[in-house]
Amino acid sequence: MDRNWLMGLVLILGVIIQIEWTAANPTSEKPNQLPSFLKVCYRDSPDLNTCARESYEALRPRLMEGIPELYIPSMEPLIVPQVKMDQDSGAIFLHSVYRNVKVTGISKHTVNELRLEPSKLKFIVSLTFPKLHMESDYSIKGKIMMMPLLGDGHCKVDLVNITMRTELIGQEYKKNGANYLKINTVKVKYELSDVHIHLDNLFNGDKALGDRMNEFLNENWKALAEEVRPLMTKALVDILRASVDKLFASFSYDDLVPKGKN
């Protein structure tokens, strides 16, 4: 049962972590320069972090609608056609598919920290979301502790007061005569205040069994969260690394955070 809960949580937290750094697959050649509406901050400025926060706040409305120039899709709501999650280790054997995923509440976040340390090639961001709501159609089949688990229906997940802190550390390299960044280290920490999940039509529509499963998940979410935290953190790091690699491969470090003009 704990891994079924993990799947819903990984899905929605994977969405959260990409807000600052995600880059959707481009449909055409990458742009040669950053869009003109993006405020440039100079890495050697004493007001770098103030500028970075102002730049983000100015960009925030566009983030919710999507920014094709940066390959960023619409975030409010965020629509994901399909997500597959499989687990086959130890006493857990599950295959699941989530379709027509819709996430709302992303726009109502607070920036706790946004800090750049150019001398260390370090980027730090911390965001808090009062509430995120996810709905999708799901299909799940497998066994947990030798017990069969089967469901095919509608899924709802609510996460309350999610705070996530992400730290990226990069290394410079040359490409086509320009300085680019390769992210070598990704650290993620997150905290939740509450989780509520409901899976319709579990166990071929057996309401009694389905109600007991949903009750167990919601009553024991804190213990389950701690049990799966290492696996959750690794999954989020993998998602984030894939996203930032695309971003930093598309734009040079000198484009993203240039040196000051002499």
Side-chain angles (χ1 to χ4, degrees), residues 41-239:
C41 298
Y42 296 99
R43 72 182 79 159
D44 48 4
S45 168
D47 300 319
L48 171 61
N49 291 314
T50 299
C51 177
R53 184 178 285 250
E54 291 175 350
S55 179
Y56 172 75
E57 291 297 339
L59 196 64
R60 189 167 175 169
R62 292 179 181 268
L63 282 173
M64 298 307 110
E65 299 174 358
I67 307 176
E69 298 92 336
L70 298 177
Y71 316 133
I72 298 177
S74 172
M75 293 289 180
E76 192 67 68
L78 181 67
I79 305 296
V80 182
Q82 179 172 292
V83 176
K84 293 184 178 180
M85 295 185 181
D86 297 326
Q87 177 65 35
D88 183 7
S89 64
I92 299 173
F93 179 85
L94 288 175
H95 296 282
S96 64
V97 179
Y98 300 83
R99 297 182 177 89
N100 305 316
V101 181
K102 180 179 179 180
V103 181
T104 56
I106 292 174
S107 62
K108 302 185 184 303
H109 64 273
T110 300
V111 180
N112 305 316
E113 182 180 15
L114 181 56
R115 180 157 50 95
L116 285 67
E117 299 181 16
S119 62
K120 301 178 181 179
L121 299 178
K122 181 185 293 187
F123 303 84
I124 298 171
V125 60
S126 172
L127 304 176
T128 294
F129 301 82
K131 182 179 180 180
L132 290 177
H133 178 75
M134 182 197 80
E135 293 194 31
S136 74
D137 299 318
Y138 82 96
S139 177
I140 188 168
K141 183 179 180 180
K143 291 185 178 181
I144 297 178
M145 301 298 290
M146 302 304 293
M147 297 184 299
L149 177 60
L150 181 67
D152 188 350
H154 195 68
C155 166
K156 294 182 180 180
V157 179
D158 285 312
L159 302 182
V160 179
N161 290 331
I162 315 103
T163 295
M164 181 169 294
R165 186 179 189 275
T166 304
E167 180 178 310
L168 309 175
I169 302 176
Q171 179 179 352
E172 285 189 84
Y173 69 96
K174 287 282 187 179
K175 184 174 74 172
N176 299 326
N179 293 317
Y180 281 76
L181 278 187
K182 173 68 175 178
I183 299 301
N184 293 330
T185 302
V186 180
K187 298 179 181 179
V188 177
K189 293 182 179 179
Y190 68 89
E191 297 296 335
L192 306 169
S193 293
D194 198 10
V195 175
H196 181 77
I197 184 169
H198 184 82
L199 304 175
D200 289 342
N201 200 43
L202 284 169
F203 305 108
N204 290 317
D206 188 316
K207 188 176 184 304
L209 288 177
D211 287 349
R212 283 200 291 271
M213 171 69 82
N214 281 303
E215 184 179 358
F216 173 84
L217 294 173
N218 288 292
E219 287 184 352
N220 296 277
W221 75 266
K222 286 187 178 180
L224 298 176
E226 290 307 311
E227 184 175 339
V228 302
R229 186 177 290 274
L231 295 174
M232 177 74 71
T233 300
K234 182 181 184 303
L236 295 174
V237 166
D238 290 344
I239 292 170

Side-chain angles (χ1 to χ4, degrees), residues 30-45:
K30 64 186 180 184
N32 293 321
Q33 59 186 13
L34 292 170
S36 59
F37 56 76
L38 189 65
K39 181 179 180 180
V40 174
C41 298
Y42 296 99
R43 72 182 79 159
D44 48 4
S45 168

